[in-house]
Amino acid sequence: MNEKEAEILPVSAFFISAISNKKFLDMIRQLTILCFSVLCLFTMEAQTIDDAIRYGKLSRSGSARGMGMGGALGAIGGDFGALSTNPAGIGMYKWNEVELSPGLLLNSTSSELLNSQGGATDETQFRFVVPAASYVYVKKLQSSRWTRRTLAVGVARVADYNSAFTFNGRQDNSITNYFIDRSNFVNPDNLNASSPYVGLPAFDAFITTFDINTSTYFADIDAGEVVNKNQTIVEKGGMDEISLTVGADYMNKLQLGASLSLPVLNFNQKKEYTETLDGHPIFRQLEFDENLSAQGTGVNIKLGGKYIIARKIHVSAAFHTPTWMRISEEFDNRANYTYVFSELFPNPGPQEGLSPLGAFEYQYRGPWRAIGGLGVIIGRAGVITAEAEFVNHKSSRFTITDDPGYEELLNREIDQRLGSALSVRTGIELRPAEKLRIRGGVGLGQSIFADADDIDLQYWTLGVGVWLSNSFFIDGAFRHEQIDQLYNPYELNNATPEITSDIGRNALVFTVGYRFF
């Protein structure tokens, strides 16, 4: 959760009012403030399981040929799109090659606030990306059973975070209750330490008011009042891997390869939440904006092998070490309140409250991966490929140097909620003419959650390739992925709003390549 705040159940006002001893009451209040501050500090400087899911799930793009065949090129190789799964594929190159792969993203989302008055809201997002660029150099060996040595340098997008969605609806339990829960029993002078990203901006914007008699907060609207809710979330960025791959071929039968990869993370998230209420004597509109920016760099190693059986059957295996990353984040929130209260404020206007700018660093270790592949060449008609990838998401870990206690809790949650997942992808390439290629692919996968055994269609792909000469080629590919997502804009006890989203992620990628001998 972006506000980096712990979720603490407020002590009831009844319990406090029942205590008659003033010194004891003051001690309870101070102890509550201290506990609240410590727990908030834990989560301000730590991550959530959502970050482990985001950084651990990969959706590789690469070249148009690799995308068009469903990303299942590891057993065939000879294309830069295969190197992100099995670096042994570099051993199939018999030529030098340079590639560039620009692309377009078109994502559509239909979102609905459950148990509300209102229907689904549609949102689309269009972006230009360059998912891959590469250069491959081949050195032929004339006097050895090792026939070729190969070197490749390149960059490929392994995860894309670009998305946008909006929801609208009328529902009770305003976000003001969330602000109150994060502020109760904390003196306004201490909000900067105890709830700087939720309680403080809400109080400074006059959304919440402090009752000095009960040490609780209240808002201008009742807890169960029905309000108009709206939120837009825009996410940008991705994870790109800069890789150096070396490989070799032994007697045109065995290929070996290894990659040193440097992932570069760039993720930005902006949430804009709005509530309005028609006909209320005071409340008009509130806004709550949340901003998060994350950058990181890391390293991983990929090892692979490939063997050709009777020229037409290729088998492969690869292992990816965990990705070790250091990530830095900056985040801040803004609250804005428009109200009418002519008795005290004849011309109040909108009131704004700002959180401090939060910044911290942490380390993330991603899951390890094992991949096996099979490729069958159908004479001159084409090729059929398949890959199975096993990912142990339970092995993901966070290291939070400043907060070992929260680090232990978060890693324990990863152990309990995440599990191992197996995904399978298949592809086909047909050659109806000498210089024409037609491609298609499908990907299936298990849920990464330990308590779910779902197997879903993750994506399907189509592609085409044309050789314009013996050295120059152009490939194109289209990929469609359908995702069902459940999202909570804020959390309340027994009244957390839920938004269900049907997300369609579409990518169109072109690869322009040139081979020289």
Side-chain angles (χ1 to χ4, degrees), residues 348-417:
Q351 185 74 18
E352 185 176 65
L354 302 175
S355 78
L357 178 63
F360 65 95
E361 292 187 352
Y362 59 94
Q363 297 177 40
Y364 166 74
R365 187 190 75 197
W368 58 264
R369 304 167 188 271
I371 304 171
L374 173 67
V376 179
I377 297 176
I378 318 169
R380 297 182 62 85
V383 61
I384 298 176
T385 63
E387 279 187 346
E389 179 173 353
F390 179 85
V391 184
N392 183 19
H393 292 279
K394 189 186 290 288
S395 65
S396 300
R397 284 294 181 272
F398 286 101
T399 300
I400 308 166
T401 305
D402 296 334
D403 197 343
Y406 186 78
E407 172 190 313
E408 181 180 356
L409 291 174
L410 178 58
N411 290 331
R412 187 182 305 163
E413 184 182 9
I414 291 174
D415 286 335
Q416 293 172 350
R417 294 188 56 191

Side-chain angles (χ1 to χ4, degrees), residues 115-422:
N115 302 315
S116 71
Q117 304 170 26
T121 304
D122 297 330
E123 185 80 19
T124 60
Q125 185 187 52
F126 179 83
R127 294 189 65 83
F128 173 79
V129 294
V130 181
S134 63
Y135 171 73
V136 179
Y137 171 76
V138 178
K139 173 67 174 178
K140 295 184 179 179
L141 307 175
Q142 301 296 335
S143 58
S144 172
R145 290 174 178 263
W146 292 96
T147 61
R148 297 180 299 276
R149 288 200 303 262
T150 313
L151 172 69
V153 293
V155 58
R157 174 146 291 196
V158 296
D160 189 272
Y161 305 135
N162 290 286
S163 67
F165 76 88
T166 299
F167 74 83
N168 292 285
R170 286 177 51 79
Q171 192 183 61
D172 58 0
N173 290 303
S174 162
I175 194 174
T176 57
N177 301 313
Y178 169 67
F179 298 148
I180 291 170
D181 282 353
R182 295 303 186 275
S183 307
N184 267 344
F185 311 113
V186 178
N187 189 282
D189 294 337
N190 296 319
L191 285 175
N192 189 56
S194 300
S195 186
Y197 301 99
V198 178
L200 177 65
F203 179 77
D204 286 346
F206 293 178
I207 296 174
T208 58
T209 302
F210 183 66
D211 186 338
I212 193 172
N213 295 317
T214 62
S215 292
T216 59
Y217 290 76
F218 63 91
D220 291 327
I221 56 177
D222 297 332
E225 199 150 8
V226 176
V227 296
N228 303 307
K229 300 180 180 181
N230 170 273
Q231 187 175 41
T232 298
I233 300 177
V234 177
E235 296 179 340
K236 299 178 181 179
M239 187 185 298
D240 300 297
E241 275 193 348
I242 303 170
S243 62
L244 173 66
T245 305
V246 294
D249 173 81
Y250 184 77
M251 298 182 66
N252 292 312
K253 296 282 289 184
L254 174 67
Q255 292 83 41
L256 300 175
S259 291
L260 175 66
S261 299
L262 306 176
V264 179
L265 168 71
N266 180 35
F267 175 68
N268 293 279
Q269 182 186 71
K270 185 175 183 62
K271 298 181 178 182
E272 298 179 341
Y273 181 92
T274 303
E275 276 188 4
T276 60
L277 181 57
D278 300 329
H280 194 277
I282 299 175
F283 186 99
R284 291 295 182 269
Q285 175 177 291
L286 71 78
E287 301 171 1
F288 187 61
D289 299 339
E290 303 168 79
N291 302 293
L292 170 67
S293 175
Q295 286 78 38
T297 56
V299 63
N300 66 63
I301 295 174
K302 301 179 180 68
L303 303 173
K306 192 171 87 66
Y307 188 73
I308 302 175
I309 304 173
R311 294 182 62 85
K312 293 186 177 182
I313 301 177
H314 298 221
V315 293
S316 66
F319 177 79
H320 299 186
T321 69
T323 295
W324 292 274
M325 298 193 72
R326 180 175 292 275
I327 300 173
S328 60
E329 290 189 358
E330 289 187 350
F331 50 91
D332 65 280
N333 296 339
R334 166 190 170 272
N336 188 280
Y337 185 34
T338 302
Y339 57 93
V340 175
F341 200 175
S342 57
E343 294 180 3
L344 295 179
F345 304 100
N347 300 297
Q351 185 74 18
E352 185 176 65
L354 302 175
S355 78
L357 178 63
F360 65 95
E361 292 187 352
Y362 59 94
Q363 297 177 40
Y364 166 74
R365 187 190 75 197
W368 58 264
R369 304 167 188 271
I371 304 171
L374 173 67
V376 179
I377 297 176
I378 318 169
R380 297 182 62 85
V383 61
I384 298 176
T385 63
E387 279 187 346
E389 179 173 353
F390 179 85
V391 184
N392 183 19
H393 292 279
K394 189 186 290 288
S395 65
S396 300
R397 284 294 181 272
F398 286 101
T399 300
I400 308 166
T401 305
D402 296 334
D403 197 343
Y406 186 78
E407 172 190 313
E408 181 180 356
L409 291 174
L410 178 58
N411 290 331
R412 187 182 305 163
E413 184 182 9
I414 291 174
D415 286 335
Q416 293 172 350
R417 294 188 56 191
L418 301 187
S420 301
L422 179 67

Side-chain angles (χ1 to χ4, degrees), residues 430-495:
L430 301 177
R431 303 173 183 175
E434 182 66 23
K435 297 184 179 296
L436 179 63
R437 309 288 186 266
I438 304 297
R439 306 178 181 114
V442 170
L444 305 171
Q446 288 179 311
S447 170
I448 71 173
F449 294 99
D451 59 353
D453 296 323
D454 313 28
I455 298 179
D456 298 319
L457 173 67
Q458 292 188 322
Y459 60 84
W460 56 264
T461 64
L462 294 173
V464 62
V466 179
W467 283 89
L468 301 180
S469 69
N470 290 332
S471 298
F472 185 66
F473 63 90
I474 297 178
D475 293 325
F478 175 80
R479 168 177 165 146
H480 175 77
E481 182 177 6
Q482 201 71 28
I483 304 170
D484 293 327
Q485 177 178 284
L486 191 65
Y487 164 73
N488 308 118
Y490 55 90
E491 297 182 4
L492 291 173
N493 298 326
N494 303 319

